[in-house]
Amino acid sequence: MQERIDSLETQIQAKDIELDKFRSISLLNVRVTHKQYGTGIVIAQKENTIKVRFPEGLEKSFIIHTKFPARPTFEDDEQVVEAFTEYDRLTREIQGLKKLLEIEKAKVQTTIL
């Protein structure tokens, strides 16, 4: 069982290192274009969610991911969306591995008792 725990911890660490290159991507103050709202500026970002201010003070939030096509576009749209889609994939994998790790640790605790 300890081998399984060690393996999961190693996998989590490896995925977390991969994720580091995406954590530093900042879209703040980047100009975007949206079909419905026009041109706007990114005013906030948390992980792969951005808040954009459009003309007349209208603010909207969007998730940057290939599965959400109703989002604004960027100058380097394909690269930006690809990076944030990968960020989301890695984050979900890490969450899944952490759940498995909790289950394995709980099994060890049950065995000890």
Side-chain angles (χ1 to χ4, degrees):
M1 251 187 242
Q2 186 59 44
E3 286 179 24
R4 175 79 171 138
I5 290 172
D6 292 343
S7 173
L8 288 168
E9 288 174 340
T10 300
Q11 290 176 60
I12 291 168
Q13 289 171 352
K15 299 277 181 202
D16 201 44
I17 290 169
E18 274 186 78
L19 199 60
D20 277 344
K21 65 183 174 187
F22 300 107
R23 286 187 179 117
S24 63
I25 299 173
S26 174
L27 298 174
L28 291 177
N29 299 314
V30 171
R31 185 176 304 272
V32 297
T33 305
H34 191 276
K35 292 176 189 175
Q36 183 178 354
Y37 305 114
T39 301
I41 299 289
V42 177
I43 59 169
Q45 174 185 349
K46 182 176 181 185
E47 299 168 354
N48 66 333
T49 301
I50 58 169
K51 183 182 275 188
V52 179
R53 181 173 293 134
F54 293 101
E56 301 177 20
L58 176 66
E59 294 180 2
K60 294 284 185 181
S61 293
F62 301 93
I63 297 173
I64 305 303
H65 195 289
T66 56
K67 66 183 177 182
F68 298 113
R71 59 175 172 67
T73 57
F74 302 85
E75 184 177 321
D76 298 329
D77 193 62
E78 189 175 316
Q79 294 92 335
V80 170
V81 174
E82 190 177 298
F84 282 94
T85 299
E86 181 66 5
Y87 177 90
D88 181 64
R89 184 188 69 77
L90 287 168
T91 300
R92 289 179 189 278
E93 284 182 12
I94 290 169
Q95 290 170 347
L97 289 168
K98 285 181 176 179
K99 285 180 184 178
L100 289 174
L101 182 60
E102 287 176 26
I103 292 167
E104 291 300 319
K105 286 183 176 181
K107 287 179 184 177
V108 170
Q109 283 292 64
T110 305
T111 305
I112 293 173
L113 299 174

